[in-house]
Amino acid sequence: MKKVAIQGISGCYHEMAARRFFRDEDIEIDPCQTFDELFTHMSKDSSLLGIMAIENTIAGSLLQNHELLRQSELCVVGEYKLRISHVLAALPGETIEKITEINSHPIALMQCSDFLHSYPSIKIVEKGDTAGSALEIAQHKLKGHAAICGSLAAELYGLDILAEGIETNKRNFTRFLVLADSWKKDELIDESKINKSSLVFSLPHTQGSLSKVLTILSFYDVNLTKIQSLPIIGREWEYRFYVDVTFDNYIRYRQALDAIKPLTKDFKILGEYAEFNQPL
């Protein structure tokens, strides 16, 4: 059985993504309070896998997670894109008409603003976690309270779903990276299916430095799917670039890397894996 570290408590969206990625396997969840704790757990146990949110179609990139990955000895072995669909959950027997308070994480509350505006008399209270809000209601038998959370949390904590699909934007997706110790990657990746990679490098503050790299990637038919820049502390006007690329020909992709490396500094392959290609 695989053990997978997640950020958050049981029932959170990280667990939902983990169970869907490993849908054909039994997994054991290792909940971590923070992403830093997740990396610490994995550094102490090389057999431990991890799943980590890296970007959201509404909120954007989780910048600190890019840096945590770069500084670690872990590598990306897969990805999963999860549609974030919120439900309103409460104790069995409750109805929306009986609800006087709704609890959830501030971002989840914001994402359900249209639904919440339909119930102006209900008190809205921000909490630290979506699944945690559901757990609190279940543990303390809080009548009149409801949580905005995922369906997994509602099921896990024995709550009734009073309304589902209550998010305003139905195209809300989070991309998760599946992580493993670099020594274990060969056991987890089917090399014949590798068609995507995550890279990081820095560039000198000179005219056209990024353009040259992108031109080379294009020449070798390597497709840029994401680029995220972060300033390098202590090196004024220099930036570190986190890049995701896809490719059809692994040999030409590797030739492209050989061509751009002399133009970069601190070049690192964060992972080579199969692109998520299920219908969204």
Side-chain angles (χ1 to χ4, degrees), residues 5-7 32 34-42 50-51 179:
I6 63 168
Q7 187 276 320
C32 303
T34 65
F35 289 112
D36 289 273
E37 185 179 318
L38 183 151
F39 277 84
T40 299
H41 280 209
M42 294 191 68
I51 193 160
L179 308 175

Side-chain angles (χ1 to χ4, degrees), residues 2 21-22 25 46-49 75 77-78 178-181 183-191:
K2 291 183 172 67
F21 182 85
F22 296 105
E25 304 178 60
S46 62
S47 68
L48 190 62
L49 303 177
C75 67
V77 296
V178 183
L179 308 175
D181 183 275
W183 292 98
K184 297 287 185 180
K185 63 181 181 180
D186 293 338
E187 303 172 13
L188 300 163
I189 300 175
D190 182 348
E191 291 187 0

Side-chain angles (χ1 to χ4, degrees), residues 235-252:
R235 286 159 57 177
E236 293 80 5
W237 318 121
E238 289 192 38
Y239 293 84
R240 188 168 283 119
F241 295 90
Y242 293 85
V243 173
D244 289 338
V245 298
T246 58
F247 44 87
D248 295 323
N249 187 309
Y250 186 80
I251 293 176
R252 284 185 63 79

Side-chain angles (χ1 to χ4, degrees), residues 99-279:
I99 300 302
T100 58
E101 181 175 310
I102 293 177
N103 308 148
S104 195
H105 188 278
I107 292 179
L109 294 171
M110 176 191 68
Q111 292 174 347
C112 300
S113 57
D114 285 0
F115 175 83
L116 295 175
H117 288 158
S118 302
Y119 299 93
S121 62
I122 297 179
K123 181 181 179 181
I124 308 301
V125 178
E126 295 182 355
K127 297 286 185 174
D129 187 71
T130 53
S133 300
L135 174 61
E136 183 178 4
I137 289 172
Q139 282 186 331
H140 299 288
K141 307 288 191 231
L142 299 178
K143 292 185 176 181
H145 287 235
I148 291 178
C149 58
S151 57
L152 178 61
E155 177 185 353
L156 187 63
Y157 300 123
L159 301 182
D160 282 354
I161 294 177
L162 306 184
E164 55 187 341
I166 62 174
E167 65 280 356
T168 301
N169 189 324
K170 306 302 181 184
R171 301 296 297 173
N172 179 10
F173 295 88
T174 295
R175 176 172 168 250
F176 294 84
L177 298 179
V178 183
L179 308 175
D181 183 275
S182 58
W183 292 98
K184 297 287 185 180
K185 63 181 181 180
D186 293 338
E187 303 172 13
L188 300 163
I189 300 175
D190 182 348
E191 291 187 0
S192 67
K193 295 181 179 180
I194 292 175
N195 63 350
K196 186 171 185 176
S197 75
S198 296
L199 314 170
V200 61
F201 53 81
S202 58
L203 292 171
H205 183 56
T206 57
Q207 184 174 358
S209 59
L210 178 59
S211 176
K212 292 175 184 176
V213 169
L214 299 182
T215 298
I216 292 172
L217 292 176
S218 177
F219 175 80
Y220 283 94
D221 299 319
V222 175
N223 181 43
L224 183 74
T225 61
K226 178 189 175 181
I227 183 167
Q228 177 72 55
S229 64
L230 286 175
I232 302 175
I233 298 174
R235 286 159 57 177
E236 293 80 5
W237 318 121
E238 289 192 38
Y239 293 84
R240 188 168 283 119
F241 295 90
Y242 293 85
V243 173
D244 289 338
V245 298
T246 58
F247 44 87
D248 295 323
N249 187 309
Y250 186 80
I251 293 176
R252 284 185 63 79
Y253 150 73
R254 277 292 185 164
Q255 290 172 336
L257 297 193
D258 289 339
I260 67 173
K261 282 179 183 178
L263 305 178
T264 69
K265 293 187 290 185
D266 308 320
F267 184 92
K268 184 178 182 180
I269 300 175
L270 299 173
E272 297 175 340
Y273 48 97
E275 181 182 19
F276 177 85
N277 59 6
Q278 297 175 27

